[in-house]
Amino acid sequence: MLLDVKNLTVGYRTDDRQFRIAVDGVSLALDKGETLGIAGESGCGKTTLARALMAYTRPGSKIVGGNVFLDGTDILALPDRQKHAIRGSRIAMVPQNPLSSLTFHMRVGAQIDEIVCRHEGLSRRQAQEKSVALLAATGMPEPDAIYRRYPHELSGGQRQRVVIAAALACRPGILVLDEPTTALDKTTELRVLELVSQLREQFDTALVYISHDLNVIARVCDRICVMRDGRVIEAGDTRKTFASPVHGYTRRLLDAIPRVNASGPVRPLRADSGEAPILEVTNLKYRYPATGLGIPFSPKKPGTLAVQDLSFSINRGRTLGLVGESGSGKSTVASVISGIIPPGSGKIAFDGVPLNRAAPERPADLRRRIQMVFQDPLSSLNPRLSIGRILMRPLRVFFAMGHEEARQEAARLLERMDMRAELLDRFPRQLSGGQQQRVALARAFAARPDLIICDEVTSALDVSVQASVLDLLLSMQAESGVSCLFISHDLGVIKRVADDVIVLQSGEVRDAGPTSDVFTAPSHPYTQLLLEATRNVFDVRPAASDEAALAVQ
Amino acid sequence: MLKKSGKRILRSPVTMIGIAVLTAHMAIAALAPWLTPYGSSELAGMPFEPPSREFWLGTDILGRDYLTRLLMGGRITISVALCGVFIAIVAGAFFGLAAAWHGGMIDEVIMRLVDTKVAIPSILLVGVLIPGFGQSVPVLILVIALVYVSGVIRTVRALALTIAPQGFVTAAVLRGESNLSIMCREFLPNVLDLLCVEFAIRMSSAILLVSSLSFLGLGISPPTPDWGLMVSEGVGYIHTDPWLVIYPSIALSTLVVALNLTTEGVANALGLDAARGMTKG
């Protein structure tokens, strides 16, 4: 057995000096060349477990029990110096955020050199040769050029490749990947996963793959452990587990995942009322303003074109899904319509009224009728104001309600969002992520809007929470008849909520039409690639289609 | 949260000492007129009398009771520093938020003025302004405010810049809230703890500055009792009567140290990072 974890228990000290257990008696085993997925929602202890596998814990936490046998030696019992020697050479880790795991003032090549020099004692020149070879192995086109770049000069996918190259530098027997693709776009994710599988074979490395995304685990791993509250509640062969989960929690997790290729129930299409559309956008173009210091006569850099010639309309009571990866211009569209930024050229008509000014200059009633919900629920709620004050503000601004009236209305809204009215006196930080996003939704619905813009509202949430927030949004929509512009990079989510869909890439429309049509018969190769990347692997698992998708790109 | 912080303060003996000494200083400053047996300018005895039952700490060069002057000596310094720093905090918060929120030209103008001010040594600024505008308490307060406002503007602006891109600010803009309302409702509650820490940090520095100015003859004028002034009056007799210098120095340093300990302890207990960068600006 290559890696044998017995009864591993890790705890940490909380702010109020209590000791809590984050990983509770976990046992697992990994053989040479095997791939093990560890799945679970945020806070279940999977990252803590990953670190403990390298005999490391975050400051403040402590391994309190158990053993980690690497090739038969308990590495937890080794002196610190030997632990250091093992990390990076025999067991290596790829952390979640590639930008924060690379030092920004050093060329990426030098950062790989460091590892090689430390563990293998190579000279500078030998190290450089080896690093370039590693970068080439990760499939980067010009490894010499990449070697000399700084992290900020690379894209997210390239950064993650560099980190993977660094992790593989000493040919470790085990590679621990902690959510390596969570910060990446779906198509980039697909390519990185492909790379990981390929390098695993090439380097003969065993993988421990940690993710909240069961889909990704299904793609990469032979075996899976599902964690909850620090314990492994289900473990076994990936395909078998997904086909017939034993534990109720696993089943719930699987059910909560929005399906792109589900044969299951698709949302009944809302009838087209035949009225004029609520929002009509024709030939929208948006170029970011030139950047400069804002001083007269100082040099300026021309802004980039974020949206090119976009036309669409949203009918009353219907939901338009806007899909695209980061940088596709989808958030810019949201910002222009909501009035965060002044419009570029083109025409936007909201219920016949042209939207040609930014929000502060729009009439108050227009501001009320278009509401926006943001991606990060925590940052969209003022941390120093109580939930009550947050919800009462739009009621007071738009409907001139008195304090008492507004408070009652706020309580009613909270209850409508399946939350208790006592939460009115709490502060955002005291709520869970899902509750925070419900409050943000409640704030938007407080204005009784005609159009609601949701910008990646579920991206920051766990799958199970995401499902409940989406259900809530759908039921609120059915009740109030509000139209919705729903922006997401997740096609599964879009499939669940949107009647119509537009696929954006680099500011241009690639595909458009009713959701069911676009998803069943995508006309543009980019849409096909996106669909391929989000395909739920555990529903159908054809072997060769990944390469087919890559060939399209 | 507050309960937890309270417990943390109680557990830290250093902070508790700071709070105790600070409280004693404040009580003495507030109650001094009722505690002292003599008037602060009353020539109660002969010059340089040694400590006696009548004059516990002896008398000064003019025969005034030294204990009386010592107890009264903190009042004016503390009040001047308090008013000056308060103005600096209010103005600093306003300009700092304005610079961060408006950006562009307003930001440039405010920040370049701040840079200019920082480039001039404080003591030089004070040395020019006070003789120029006349040596009086209101001028002294305004000068203190001017010395400290630049640091406050910088720290407030830096924090406000991290608040500005957050969703709740955007939401307020989309509601069509006025700039004033956005500043008061969205920004101010989030910079309030920073302002409190700034206030305490600047306070101890301002007390020292007022005392130094009095010592140099630019601050409080005689015959008002004031520690800095008392040190400067006593310094000529340091070989024969060192107590004239030592007592007011002890009073001043205990006050400043107590203030710093309290600030740091309380800020740490509340989990505010601001306390870690105790800097002058």
Side-chain angles (χ1 to χ4, degrees), chain A residues 161-295:
Chain A
R161 279 161 201 260
V162 170
V163 176
I164 291 171
L168 288 173
C170 301
R171 290 186 166 259
I174 301 168
L175 186 60
V176 182
L177 298 119
D178 184 12
E179 305 257 13
T181 58
T182 307
L184 303 178
D185 280 330
K186 282 288 169 199
T187 48
T188 319
E189 172 176 82
L190 187 65
R191 267 170 267 144
V192 170
L193 290 181
E194 185 67 17
L195 171 76
V196 167
S197 310
Q198 177 204 328
L199 289 178
R200 186 183 70 79
E201 275 162 35
Q202 190 182 335
F203 285 74
D204 194 25
T205 307
L207 284 189
V208 178
Y209 198 101
I210 290 162
S211 181
H212 69 279
D213 191 340
L214 295 173
N215 220 340
V216 170
I217 289 196
R219 263 175 210 279
V220 182
C221 304
D222 309 327
R223 288 194 299 124
I224 183 172
C225 286
V226 181
M227 278 185 80
R228 188 189 193 185
D229 299 333
R231 281 180 211 182
V232 173
I233 56 163
E234 180 153 359
D237 178 83
T238 309
R239 226 174 298 183
K240 272 188 207 145
T241 308
F242 282 148
S244 51
V246 179
H247 202 283
Y249 177 71
T250 316
R251 203 171 308 133
R252 276 213 303 284
L253 268 188
L254 282 167
D255 289 342
I257 297 173
R259 313 283 162 112
V260 186
N261 49 343
S263 46
V266 177
R267 219 163 66 73
L269 199 65
R270 263 180 295 259
D272 200 335
S273 52
E275 288 173 81
I278 186 93
L279 184 80
E280 225 174 343
V281 175
T282 14
N283 299 335
L284 178 69
K285 267 193 201 126
Y286 187 84
R287 184 183 285 281
Y288 279 111
T291 49
L293 287 172
I295 312 169

Side-chain angles (χ1 to χ4, degrees), chain A residues 338 367 379 382-384 393, chain B residues 167-168 177 185-186 190 193:
Chain A
S338 62
R367 284 198 299 258
S379 93
N382 191 334
R384 292 303 161 103
R393 190 64 195 160
Chain B
F168 61 86
E177 307 260 8
R185 275 169 209 283
E186 312 297 340
N190 286 295
D193 49 7

Side-chain angles (χ1 to χ4, degrees), chain A residues 105 161 181 399 425 550:
Chain A
H105 71 271
R161 279 161 201 260
T181 58
F399 304 111
D425 296 316
L550 284 165

Side-chain angles (χ1 to χ4, degrees), chain B residues 145-161:
Chain B
L146 186 65
V147 167
Y148 291 106
V149 76
S150 53
V152 181
I153 291 179
R154 276 193 171 177
T155 38
V156 169
R157 174 177 175 271
L159 181 61
L161 281 178

Side-chain angles (χ1 to χ4, degrees), chain A residues 326-436:
Chain A
S326 46
S328 63
K330 55 191 194 313
S331 286
T332 310
V333 174
S335 302
V336 169
I337 295 168
S338 62
I340 296 172
I341 50 179
S345 64
K347 262 190 4 205
I348 309 173
F350 175 75
D351 206 5
V353 188
L355 293 182
N356 46 13
R357 280 174 292 183
E361 284 113 51
R362 289 180 186 170
D365 197 50
L366 199 55
R367 284 198 299 258
R368 174 186 71 75
R369 295 177 64 192
I370 304 178
Q371 288 292 314
M372 181 151 176
V373 186
F374 302 87
Q375 172 170 7
D376 179 7
L378 186 54
S379 93
S380 74
L381 306 174
N382 191 334
R384 292 303 161 103
L385 299 185
S386 67
I387 302 302
R389 283 190 65 187
I390 290 171
L391 288 180
M392 281 154 67
R393 190 64 195 160
L395 295 169
R396 302 191 69 163
V397 169
F398 293 126
F399 304 111
M401 283 188 191
H403 183 273
E404 266 318 302
E405 197 190 347
R407 197 175 160 87
Q408 280 167 15
E409 178 67 13
R412 204 190 57 76
L413 274 165
L414 264 192
E415 275 163 7
R416 178 65 192 81
M417 298 287 160
D418 303 330
M419 284 189 287
R420 283 169 296 122
E422 295 102 79
L423 294 183
L424 281 180
D425 296 316
R426 298 274 183 85
F427 287 85
R429 250 177 247 284
Q430 296 169 307
L431 306 186
S432 70
Q435 286 177 321
Q436 287 164 1

Side-chain angles (χ1 to χ4, degrees), chain B residues 34-119:
Chain B
W34 293 278
L35 293 175
T36 51
Y38 306 97
S40 63
S41 306
E42 185 186 341
L43 303 176
M46 302 303 286
F48 301 114
E49 272 191 49
S52 62
R53 194 175 295 169
E54 227 174 325
F55 308 108
W56 290 3
L57 296 179
T59 57
D60 72 354
I61 43 171
L62 296 176
R64 296 172 291 195
D65 178 40
Y66 212 60
L67 180 62
T68 302
R69 291 186 68 77
L70 197 66
L71 293 180
M72 296 286 282
R75 288 165 66 91
I76 191 88
T77 307
I78 294 173
S79 334
V80 166
L82 206 65
C83 296
V85 173
F86 185 75
I87 295 173
I89 293 287
V90 172
F94 178 77
F95 287 113
L97 290 180
W101 180 232
H102 271 280
M105 277 308 274
I106 291 180
D107 188 23
E108 285 297 321
V109 170
I110 292 176
M111 292 323 288
R112 293 303 79 77
L113 285 176
V114 166
D115 289 346
T116 314
K117 147 74 194 50
V118 172

